[in-house]
Amino acid sequence: MIVPTRQRSHAVSLAYAAALLEGDARVWASPKVLVPAAWLRRECERRAERAPAEWPRLLGPAEEWWLWRQAAGEAAREAAGQNPFLSIEPLAQALRRASERAAEWDIALARAPLESEPGLLFEARRIFTARCRDLGAASVGALIARLEPVGATEAPRLRGFDAVPRALARLAHHAGTAAAAREAGTRVSPRGVRTADGEAQLEAIAAWCRERLRASPEARLLVMLPGPAAARERLADLIGGCLDAGAVLAGRGDGRTLAGIEGGEPLASQSLLAQALLSLTILAGGALEIESIGHWLTSPWWGGIGAAPRAALAQFLRERAGASSSLRELLGALQLAPGELKVAARELEALARRAAGLLGEGSASPRRWSERFDAALTALSWPGTLPPEGAAQQTRLRWRELLEEFGELAACAGSLTREVALAELRALAAHTAYRPADEDLAVTISPMLADPVVTYDGIWAAGLTADVFPMPAAPDPFLPPEAQLTAGMPEASAAGRRAQARSLLDAWRRSAPELVLSLPAREKDLGLLPSPALEGLALTDEAPASLWLPLTLHREGCTEGREDARGAAFTSPAPLPSGTRAVTLQNECAFRAYAELRLGAVAPEHAEPGVPMDQRGLLLHAALQLLWERLRDSATLGSLEEGALDALIEDCVARGAEVLQVEVRGRRRRARRVPDGQFDLFSVLSPALTRECVRARRLIRRLCDLERTRTAFAVEATEHTTELALAGARVRMRLDRVDSVASGRVVLDYKSGRREAPDWYGERPTYPQLLAYLAALGADVVGLATVNLSAREVRFTGVAASGDVLPKVKAIPAVTGAAAGDWSAQRQVWVALIERLIRDFLAGEARVDPVPGACDYCHLTDLCRIGAHLAPELHAVTDEADE
Amino acid sequence: MNDPRERQDDAARRKAAEPTASILLEAPAGSGKTAVLTQRFLKLLTTVDDPGQILAITFTRKAAAEMRTRVIRALRAELPAADPGAAALAPLAAAARAHGAARGWKLESEPERLRIQTIDSFNYWLASQLPVASRAGGVLAITENAAELYRRAARRTLLAAEGDPALAPDAQLLFERLDNHWLNLERLIAQMLEQRGHWLRFVIAEDPDSLCRRVNQSLAAETRARLAALRTLMPEPLRRRAESLPGSGPLGSEPADLVHWKHFAHLVLTRNDWRKQLSAHRLRPGFTDPAVRMQLKDLIDDLRGAAGVRAALLELRRAPAAQLEEADAAAIAALARLLARAAVELHAAFAEAQRVDYTYVTGAARQALAEGGEPTELALRAGLALRHILVDEFQDTSLAQVQLLEALTVGWEEGDGRTLFVVGDPMQSIYRFRDAEVGLFLRAGASGVGRVALEPLRLLRNFRAERPLVEFTNELFSQVLPAVDELRAGGVSYRESLATRAHAAGLAGIPPVTLRLYPDGPAAEARAVAARVAELRGLDPAGTVGVLVVAHAHAVAVIAALEARALAPLGVDLVPLRERLVVRDLVQLSRALHDLADRAAWLAVLRAPWCGARLTTLAALSGAHDRELVVEALSNPERLARCDVGDRLNLERVRAVLGAALAGRGVQPLASWLEATWLRLGAADAYAASELADARAFFAALAEQATTHEWRGPEDLEPVLERLYGAPAGGENPVQVMTIHRAKGLEFDHVLVPALDRTTRAPERRLLRWIDLPGETSESNLLIAPAPIVGAREEEGDLNGYLKDLLRQHETHERARLMYVAVTRARRTLWLSASVTPGADGTVKPDRRSALNVLWPALAARFETVGGGDATGAAPARTGPLQRLLPSWRAAEPPPPIAVRQLPPPYLASEPTEFSWVGETARHVGTVVHARLARLSQEPRLPRPEAISDEGGAVLAELARAGVPERERAQARESVLAALVRTLGDERGRWILDSRHAQAHSEWELSGLSGGRLRSVVIDRCFIDEHGTRWVIDYKTSAHQGGGLEEFLDQELERYRAQLATYRDLARGLGPEPVRAALYFPLLGELRESG
Ligand code: SF4
């Protein structure tokens, strides 16, 4: 029997098996249910068996694919000139399909201008044929014309075609080209259903399936649901859930053994295979973005190294490797893994090195590459341990078949470099459609509106709107339109499509005792018209109750609220984690302080290209530290010639960059030293860092100009670390800079981000760390300020005992009338505030209580569940972004 | 009909429906545009040989669907009698049917023949029907999520620039302007790629400076136009006097004169007004002489009387130079080169992903129609095939779309019977964010589209709104919209409407127009809106109600208030769900399952309501610099012991579910897997039913993303969340809540437009600011300014600042038009409201970016301020943040499964558990030997081994067919012959092949049940021997060299034991005979039976 698609062939085989098993058979000759291409191939083989010398070798599927790509590429290059095609792959597929159609429908191709569609097809096929001739081979399509019709007794039965291609009809002794319409049998009257929208349609289908199967557990149902694949996925889940909720809840499979979807997906999109291809890309030395490397490492398809250490390694690499890295760079970064990851890092390195070695390089035949790909993946422990049966095992088997097919390219592709071989394998995997074989399904969900061929107990054809059924005409753009019409290709014209729709409707009506035709009334706010093929059919509006498992299982009143604003107290004798950052966070949001510093829920770090923000700050800090170590005071600064100052800044920035180079690979910078072997990687400044140095020089120069306007000062300390006992805790702090001025000391904190309008006197001041420094340094501090260093501005933002301490920094508001008294009183308020924050931190106080704006750049919104507090409204941004 | 405007309206309607002329029809809201379009379409159907010769284009799927539905209904005579247009359409439809019947078409049942489609689908059709001309190649898959491809292309561009000496200086220049901020520049380039429809054509030209030249031309043209306008405003005598002032030059209209004009403007103006103080020290040198100062004073006095001069001079001061500044030109040239490279990278990214965006499709369609600016043969053919084109909503066309129309009509000749009909309402042009440019409409009226001249017509009657509303609209918008069309600023003047519907009584106490301000905040306003809706429901139960908002977010409060009053609102894509807790929990669950090291995600999973772990528990399981991941800690008894006792059961349960989920990762479809895991965690009971609906929307969106193969990992959740909206379901005649954009084309009896004070998100900073102003002819005036240098101050006359202002004016005008659209949706009553906080002085200052701001000058005095009020529907009290399933919670008992009867499962695993690569040739040898043995087994008499050597030639041919390379064929032939000779020389071999055996088969394809599984196998040889035993034999063509033959054979037997067992098992089903199974080795002449 010949049927149009593999899906129908599978359905017929299953129906045949069911019928025989019903009759108690245990074994039987496998039915021969073939698709046209397979049947034609078999016929060619049979003829060739009798006269092997007269028949060329038949190309394998991969060979044919490859040769068409070559032919399409060559023809397209000629045709396109300066303006290349988007991609050869789809062009090759389209040309190949057109050539096959021409053969199937007896359409002769004629030479035409190369820039026209038929012209390009003619040329590509000429090239393809010439290549075949060189190889002593031919495609099945090319041999159709040579085939004689089979003997009348051997004539296969054609089922499921709404129009039989001419060549097939001729060879198979089929009378006429339209097969289905004349078949005998009773026709059922369809029932028409309209639902409010697509989702309700899925619910209606699921309800129908459930009722039919409940009434008759051996029933077999067919649902045809054209349109996006996601709807079929959702329907399969919906049906699976309502047929066997227990299986879903117990985590047994996904209900797909009851309701499954027909049709294939690109093999390359299978997660197992995507991992294989990604692994090979990495092993072959390709540079990948760090996110892809993360996916590679956290994929489930590994053996050997456990999932947890791999995840930790991935995280480590995100922090330490470049934004995009090659295998060599990855291996380099792995050397820096911290103690707890060393074993896993070494293991990974060993696997990768061995696998890369087995992959090798240079050029080789596709077969050789297939062997190497397989060996390399095995060495890498891909895909880990798979269950002996099931989808993953099948996919793995299909991968091996793919490697076999790729190996068969040896005859036509010659020798390939590693990169080309890998690219071709990737393309072949993307081109190959695949879906793991299904079991005997109670409900088959098909994306196609097609003749079912076998009899079902019920058929539901869904989504029958005017723009879907009849299907829109889609003539092949590479074949002359008139020839397509003459040949009777149904897809070539609206009339052909209408005839096709009639034929399909007829096929559905005789293929089941129950037929439902449905459509949604709307898609969002778009009203949908019923298909004209449903004319005369009364449509019943259906609004079924939801069968979605979470809703059907839902019970109200199963939850309770819990007050939980305080966590575990900090009782360690160690200093506060992260020093003054604990105070800052506790002030901004107690929950955040707890989550970040006590639970370790730090913001995920991502390698960035260029010079990431934190490192820009580091460079400025390092350079300014060096600068002030040399300058020491305002007098020296003032006395320097312009040129000399510039030279000094340049030198300090250059040395700062050196420091950064050593530390550039991670934020936990102070804890790490780079092993000697790594220095060579950084011996030349990257273009981005070179640019950053220029920027830093510019900013520091602007700062120096500002510093020159200050009253006399001396820099007492830079990057000064100290520890303070406060509110029963040890607080470590690192002060960017402390200056001494005539009236006392000034604490300065460099800031390279945007300046905020600070609040110094409120309950929750903007810069509590500065207040902590104040508490640490004692009573002679007379000014606190951030030094804002950004392209937008360079300035001091702060508060001081008097107005002459820093440029544009005002004295604190007068309260007592005596500035010193005001300052000292305020100082006490500040110290008390800092102590309270520290006490809260120690007590584990973790209220979700952010200061305004704190949540804007916080990564913990989903952990603190701030959404439960917020009004359900989006923030509307009012400011113009570049003002 | 006394009003001449009514006669004018009638004439326009008649003319517009006549299918003989090319027309531009201005059809204001409620003027019955759809009726005119349908009439024209039906009339056109009677003039063509094929309905495909008429193309109707719309800009939205909805508009296309509506037009199509209306035409089909008319053709099927299905328009309801109450439809005001039905009577007029009936005879036209009958004529169209008769015309079609005579030509063999029957459109009423063949609606697919009507070409009524969106411009996007038309472009797609063109590009895919012409894969060579468009260079699309094959089927184009369109991605909804091109952002990732733009980003990838941008990154590759910058990475390439780092190492490419030709591009490095360009990148350097841009980095410098943008403060060396890589991600910023990358983002801006990605954004430019998204907008490439505007610039691509300039940068793909070979000369990298062509973009600058183009901008300079535009600047010069703009300057000329501006100066010419000024010269018109300022009569020549005044100009002469101005030119005679010290330091002045000729005030001509050439770009070179701009500097003199600017000098003059500075001289006569202060910041905002005419200069009053003329003291010498304020003026430039040359004005020390009091007489000269007096001359200036007189001139200023005279200028005061010249209308429009002051405003024009003020504007002129901010106008940019007529030529790009050197730094800007350098930046644009650098950008042009970099962007050209980015476009190439994007092309590569599209090719790699096998997906494109809509801009690509539009470009491909244009490419198919015009190669190098010239129409392709196809454009001419397409133009010939199309006899009539209708374009709806023409006010929302973009430049690219107009260019497409130009290409389609390029071969049209005056009087050849072909027509172009464009219809729209410039006052409803509200799609700037999709590149719509209202100036194109205005220009089309003046100079047509391409070579087709259009006759401008205007409809005046309003059939929708009752008289008071029409009058209110006329009054309001004649003040809100500019007095004259302003092409440059994107302003459209108001076109008055004529009321035709009288005011109907029956809404006691509700005036036609209500204007309210709520100082108590948005919630109070939302409650008032809900109260009004309730009132309307009572007075006019059948009346339709629409609540229209500027942006989705503005509807949230109103929806809550309506729901609180049980007023069942209906909304489409209305409520953003990305911030909903149930969705956030799902986001974290998917992150945690994807990345075991994502500590924040794992902690969030433990904090979600299915677990609700306390902070102390979290601290027991996770700490700063923790060496264990949370997933590991969950299995660490020592750490579990430190957890809160009340949490432990939940932790156990969650650990078990997540462990199982991780074990099954990658096998099931993503959304199904996540949903099943979520359900098993107890989510069905952990959330309210309404929240579950939000989760369902999330799963649907996730499935959509995953099935398009655009899923890499949680980083792809962003586009999923972006498109995630809830849709309140509504009921019978629901209150429809929607954005004004979505309401376009709709009408309601009662319209409420709340939240007028709210603003929308500001446009993001861009690498380039540009504006494509329609020029007098088809080419536009493109003005481009590179992003200003970070930290640099804006100066007067700075191109960037000028463009910023200009764009702001466009925005403001469009906001006014948005209000026009909103107001004109109403038939009977209108409500406009805002929640505002008056300043200390009691005055209200609407935000510049709010809709209220544009209405304020006209309505400030009429708004009524309402404080206090009804608290029904006030926001519910906040619940505590931490929810969890009750300690007593147990999963619901699932309903019993339906015991579906299925066939035994098929055997699906790989057969041989190990995978060995045999050489290619050895494999082919095996194939040929198998085929030959099968053929021999059919011979009545087996040949002698010696006879086989004669077969060498045929074997060679078979090997060649099998694909054995020529150089290996001789060797392979020897192997084949050796196998055959050995078999035929071996007694057991001859016995196996003997055709006289009962029930003998070769290469037998069998199916059946084995080991409880359905299996399909191919058995090399099967027969019943002379002793009544059934044999199943599998040939193995493996060769064996060296010693240890027995060992080798045993190994082979072991390797294939399971396979033989299956064969034997199946063969037992063939009959009662005893079955024996064996391997036969033709090359070795050995038979090995499996016990
Ligand atoms: S999102 Fe806001 S409330 Fe939540 S932890 Fe962060 S700062 Fe605190």
Side-chain angles (χ1 to χ4, degrees), chain B residues 463-484:
Chain B
F463 299 110
R464 177 183 296 163
E466 292 182 357
R467 186 173 300 279
L469 279 187
V470 174
E471 283 165 0
F472 172 77
T473 308
N474 282 340
E475 185 198 338
L476 173 62
F477 288 97
S478 56
Q479 297 172 66
V480 166
L481 296 182
V484 288

Side-chain angles (χ1 to χ4, degrees), chain B residues 352-387:
Chain B
E352 227 171 72
Q354 298 284 310
R355 281 185 149 61
V356 296
D357 63 356
Y358 279 109
T359 308
Y360 177 88
V361 177
T362 309
R366 268 191 69 210
Q367 160 86 28
L369 291 174
E371 176 92 60
E374 292 297 313
T376 59
E377 202 192 309
L378 174 97
L380 297 172
R381 261 196 290 140
L384 279 177
L386 289 174
R387 297 200 56 78

Side-chain angles (χ1 to χ4, degrees), chain A residues 69 86-91 93 430, chain B residues 139-143 149 347-356:
Chain A
R69 269 164 51 97
L86 175 67
S87 159
I88 291 306
E89 183 64 36
L91 177 67
Q93 280 183 38
Chain B
V139 178
L140 286 172
I142 294 181
T143 177
L149 300 179
H347 205 270
F350 282 157
E352 227 171 72
Q354 298 284 310
R355 281 185 149 61
V356 296

Side-chain angles (χ1 to χ4, degrees), chain A residues 491-507:
Chain A
E491 62 270 43
S493 66
R497 289 298 205 191
R498 277 196 299 280
Q500 184 185 45
R502 279 193 299 275
S503 161
L504 284 179
L505 209 47
D506 186 69

